[in-house]
Amino acid sequence: MPELPEVETLRRSLEHDLVGRTVARVDIRRRDVVVAPGDPEGGFSRSRSDRPPVRIKPPWMLRGLTIARLTRRGKQMAVEADTDRGAPALVIQLGMTGTVRSLDDRIRYPAHTHVVWTLENGRRFAFIDPRRFGGVRALPGGTRDAWAALGPDALTVRGDEFTARLARTRRAVKAALLDQAVVAGVGNIYADEALFASKIHPETIAAGIPRDAAIRLASNIRRILRDAIGRGGSTIKDYRNSDGEPGGFQAAHQVYGRGGRPCPRCGTILTPSRVAQRATVACGSCQAREPA
DNA sequence: CTGGTCTCCTGATCGC
DNA sequence: TGCGATCAGGAGACCA
């Protein structure tokens, strides 16, 4: 569900409540949303049953440690603890439906509450994820290795680096934008929005995009993500920040979710399609397949 | 290596 | 009201 602006909005709303606090207790209610050192390699939704999961050592989940900062790379958020043994971290990947929420004092947990952290001040925070495409990765040695595979953060990616990375692949440019190793943070909504703003058709071969068009695309990605963060992200169905507030950027979407309606730029009916197995909307008239 | 397809999972919505 | 098909903001595994 969430892309970079939603993750950043969540990070900011959690930062205030978590930084400087000590984790008093951790309840793992579903072990299979957690990846710990020694677990089979791979993601959260795959290879869960290959062999039994390792036993979690308490500090892996930050129990007893003080939270020093919340960081983000692309769509991944990390809760980092500063200790003299290094900087243990938890990387939280939200997948399609994951979130982190502050829990009130109700007795029952919300549905699909998989991990609960209780702070020394009594406040509780939960990782909640109905579809379980997301998860929590325990990184006792910090985020460095885990984040090495991610491309540059989309919010700050430099035009020349972005251009060089696009030039390396002959996939559809939208597929390249969705690849977190190319650039980290762009998902289905903002890929369509940025391509529309840049007048580039999603199926254009990435490597064939001229340098000036690629530079413009990078600039539009940064601008759109920044604007979306400014409005608290996009709430399509159920995205909420940690306090339960929806975002407002969905009102600014030009193409996402608007297939069959007129192009806001030229009036041509926007065409829905599938690119890289994802629902895609573009204007067949003003988004060029072969940018000049 | 590269790029395309399948799959993980729950829940909302739509057509019959 | 019920039921099956389809669709979701993601991304790792697998295959040609």
Side-chain angles (χ1 to χ4, degrees):
Chain A
M1 130 304 231
E3 304 183 33
L4 187 152
E6 293 75 40
V7 178
E8 176 61 15
T9 300
L10 186 66
R11 189 194 69 77
R12 291 180 186 182
S13 66
L14 285 169
E15 194 166 46
H16 176 74
D17 291 322
L18 295 184
V19 170
R21 297 295 174 187
T22 299
V23 178
R25 176 189 165 101
V26 182
D27 293 301
I28 298 174
R29 305 180 75 231
R30 267 201 84 116
R31 176 62 179 82
D32 62 3
V33 304
V34 175
V35 173
D39 276 347
E41 281 302 307
F44 302 106
S45 57
R46 274 281 179 171
S47 66
R48 280 178 174 156
S49 53
D50 289 342
R51 56 189 154 91
V54 303
R55 182 173 213 87
I56 303 263
K57 296 179 180 161
W60 290 353
M61 298 299 284
L62 305 188
R63 194 182 94 180
L65 303 181
T66 298
I67 296 166
R69 57 196 170 273
L70 268 63
T71 55
R72 182 193 55 72
R73 173 89 168 250
K75 306 172 194 174
Q76 300 190 18
M77 179 171 66
V79 182
E80 298 186 38
D82 245 338
T83 73
D84 49 12
R85 295 169 301 183
L90 291 177
V91 165
I92 298 175
Q93 237 173 279
L94 300 175
M96 292 275 264
T97 53
T99 192
V100 176
R101 271 185 31 203
S102 170
L103 296 182
D104 57 26
D105 291 331
R106 88 186 92 188
I107 308 296
R108 292 266 307 171
Y109 289 129
H112 308 292
T113 298
H114 304 313
V115 183
V116 179
W117 292 267
T118 305
L119 306 179
E120 92 287 351
N121 63 1
R123 292 198 63 180
R124 296 182 304 167
F125 291 84
F127 172 70
I128 301 170
D129 183 9
R131 288 176 78 179
R132 277 179 278 132
F133 288 175
V136 178
R137 188 182 303 268
L139 299 170
T143 57
R144 213 160 106 183
D145 291 347
W147 284 357
L150 293 177
D153 192 79
L155 191 57
T156 53
V157 64
R158 288 173 36 147
D160 52 359
E161 182 174 15
F162 178 78
T163 302
R165 286 168 169 267
L166 280 194
R168 276 185 228 143
T169 179
R170 294 194 53 78
R171 280 179 292 176
V173 60
K174 177 166 176 180
L177 291 183
L178 294 177
D179 182 345
Q180 302 301 295
V182 173
V183 58
V186 179
N188 204 36
I189 295 176
Y190 299 104
D192 278 10
E193 294 297 321
L195 288 166
F196 175 78
S198 308
K199 301 185 182 178
I200 297 171
H201 194 277
E203 291 178 46
T204 308
I205 302 295
I209 295 175
R211 179 183 166 77
D212 59 339
I215 298 279
R216 275 204 314 275
L217 177 55
S219 160
N220 280 322
I221 288 171
R222 292 191 304 263
R223 176 181 57 80
I224 288 169
L225 295 177
R226 210 167 47 234
D227 288 354
I229 292 169
R231 299 211 213 175
S234 299
T235 294
I236 300 304
K237 209 175 72 167
D238 50 19
Y239 168 77
R240 295 290 187 278
N241 71 14
S242 69
D243 299 319
E245 305 284 336
F249 193 71
Q250 61 279 4
H253 293 173
Q254 303 292 294
V255 288
Y256 179 83
R258 300 177 60 89
R261 302 168 71 178
C263 169
R265 197 160 44 209
C266 76
T268 304
I269 297 302
L270 295 170
T271 312
S273 68
R274 287 191 88 79
V275 179
Q277 278 74 253
R278 309 299 298 281
T280 298
V281 180
C283 176
S285 178
C286 64
Q287 286 178 260
R289 283 165 189 274
E290 295 172 52

